[in-house]
Amino acid sequence: MKVAIIGAGAMGSLFGGSLAGVVDEVCLYSTNKAYVEAVNKNGLIMTQGDNKWVVKARATSNPAEIGEADVAIIYVKYTGTRQAVQDAMVSCVTPNTMVVTLQNGIGNVDIIKEYIPEDQIVYGLSTLTSDVKAPGHIEMTTLSKVGTSMWPLNGVVTPKLEKLMDLMNQVNLNADIAPDVNERIWRKLMVNACENTLCAILKVNVTDLMINTPESYEIARQIIFEVSDVARAKGMNISREEALKHVMKVTYAVPGHVPSMVFDILNKKKTEIGCINEAIANEGKKLGVPTPAVETIARLIRALEANYDRTIKHHR
């Protein structure tokens, strides 16, 4: 099996690097040329605490060099989904390619469907975490066993999907084929809507946000409750208390983790707020569920993006 990773950032590299040892070939596609050069020269460096692995894999920033793949895993940020799919179609995606998205938030599948037939699309999520330490070097930050869930968009489980799940499980990606994947996606949204955003605004890690600072915990708690309210209105059986318990369980599983949105803000890049808080607020409006805290945080992130080029000069 040949696997192409379309968007080899922290999470794409985690999946690509892990699968490299059990598949025939992995191609890591990234528009970050420093990453591509580092991986092709030194291999992909994967660390977890004192443990270190160096994975030999092919990396490229040229879509034409990806080549036909049996599985293409889309792992770019929401803002780059359309371009990523277009790039993948240059040489990677054929009528026999299974296209998998494990991206954050909701809305990515709608974009992918514009280009790829529904019977080739698998969607889901992963609650594993990874941070970029340097070009071509990721740090795996998940300490307890969390998982990866997938489901075919047309509801038909194929042998190829079952094989991919088995391969993922051989390398501790903890995968399952989950008919309730939509509910699991909303559980992850509860985490992302508070932790990704508030960590980005406050420039802290998840432990400081949720455990060490009561004030930010209370804001996060309100966001979690609102996301739970929307999920329940959509027919999912997730109480406010259960939602809060889930977010805290994930937080304790990834101590010190810094969500990618923090780096987006620090590097003055567009964030994924459109497929997280804004998307949740839009669902709430459709269903008549108020989401004031979710919307306020979305506006704060947009305000930060709008003011990247404006700086205040410090005077003593």
Side-chain angles (χ1 to χ4, degrees):
M1 178 181 283
K2 176 180 175 179
V3 176
I5 305 295
I6 311 301
M11 289 302 296
S13 294
L14 171 59
F15 274 73
S18 298
L19 287 169
V22 292
V23 300
D24 298 315
E25 182 185 353
V26 166
C27 179
L28 302 168
Y29 173 69
S30 172
T31 57
N32 184 330
K33 293 186 177 180
Y35 170 91
V36 171
E37 290 174 3
V39 170
N40 287 333
K41 181 180 179 181
N42 305 313
L44 173 64
I45 299 170
M46 304 174 69
T47 54
Q48 188 170 41
D50 294 331
N51 298 316
K52 177 180 178 180
W53 303 266
V54 179
V55 176
K56 292 298 181 183
R58 181 169 64 89
T60 183
S61 57
N62 182 352
E65 294 179 354
I66 302 171
E68 295 183 10
D70 298 297
V71 176
I73 301 177
I74 309 289
Y75 235 137
V76 297
K77 295 183 185 299
Y78 172 69
T79 52
T81 298
R82 187 176 301 279
Q83 186 61 57
V85 177
Q86 291 173 347
D87 289 350
M89 294 186 70
V90 172
S91 71
C92 170
V93 176
T94 74
N96 296 317
T97 304
M98 184 169 69
V99 178
V100 181
T101 169
L102 301 173
Q103 297 161 276
N104 280 338
I106 50 178
N108 292 292
V109 172
D110 293 330
I111 296 172
I112 295 170
K113 283 195 313 185
E114 295 179 26
Y115 302 88
I116 309 294
E118 290 191 17
D119 62 1
Q120 291 180 240
I121 300 173
V122 171
Y123 71 111
L125 72 152
S126 180
T127 47
L128 295 160
T129 56
S130 176
D131 294 339
V132 174
K133 305 303 290 184
H137 176 193
I138 62 165
E139 170 76 13
M140 296 174 285
T141 53
T142 311
L143 293 187
S144 64
K145 186 173 180 178
V146 294
T148 300
S149 303
M150 302 179 289
W151 185 248
L153 192 56
N154 67 354
V156 179
V157 177
T158 63
K160 183 181 287 187
L161 177 55
E162 291 178 332
K163 181 178 180 181
L164 178 63
M165 179 190 69
D166 290 341
L167 291 168
M168 286 182 172
N169 286 329
Q170 288 179 36
V171 290
N172 300 316
L173 294 173
N174 308 327
D176 68 343
I177 297 170
D180 65 341
V181 72
N182 285 322
E183 182 171 314
R184 299 188 190 195
I185 287 170
W186 274 83
R187 288 179 185 274
K188 186 175 181 182
L189 271 174
M190 292 165 188
V191 179
N192 290 341
C194 64
E195 293 194 345
N196 290 29
T197 54
L198 288 173
C199 284
I201 291 167
L202 297 173
K203 299 178 179 61
V204 297
N205 64 47
V206 297
T207 304
D208 289 335
L209 178 80
M210 300 298 293
I211 298 170
N212 297 334
T213 313
E215 294 81 1
S216 56
Y217 168 83
E218 286 301 324
I219 299 171
R221 181 171 167 269
Q222 184 58 41
I223 294 168
I224 295 163
F225 286 173
E226 290 177 7
V227 182
S228 171
D229 293 345
V230 177
R232 285 204 313 279
K234 290 179 69 66
M236 300 172 205
N237 186 25
I238 309 173
S239 69
R240 285 184 163 197
E241 294 72 22
E242 185 183 359
L244 180 59
K245 183 178 179 180
H246 170 72
V247 173
M248 294 310 300
K249 179 182 178 181
V250 173
T251 303
Y252 280 109
V254 292
H257 173 60
V258 180
S260 61
M261 195 177 288
V262 176
F263 299 107
D264 292 337
I265 294 294
L266 292 174
N267 294 320
K268 300 183 177 181
K269 294 181 178 179
K270 289 290 184 182
T271 70
E272 293 185 295
I273 198 68
C275 71
I276 304 176
N277 293 56
E278 287 180 349
I280 294 164
N282 288 336
E283 289 294 310
K285 287 184 174 70
K286 293 176 189 175
L287 298 164
V289 178
T291 56
V294 169
E295 291 182 48
T296 297
I297 295 304
R299 291 190 184 108
L300 282 170
I301 294 293
R302 288 298 188 193
L304 284 170
E305 291 179 346
N307 286 282
Y308 281 157
D309 296 329
R310 301 185 181 100
T311 57
I312 296 173
K313 294 182 179 179
H314 297 277
H315 298 285
R316 288 186 180 274

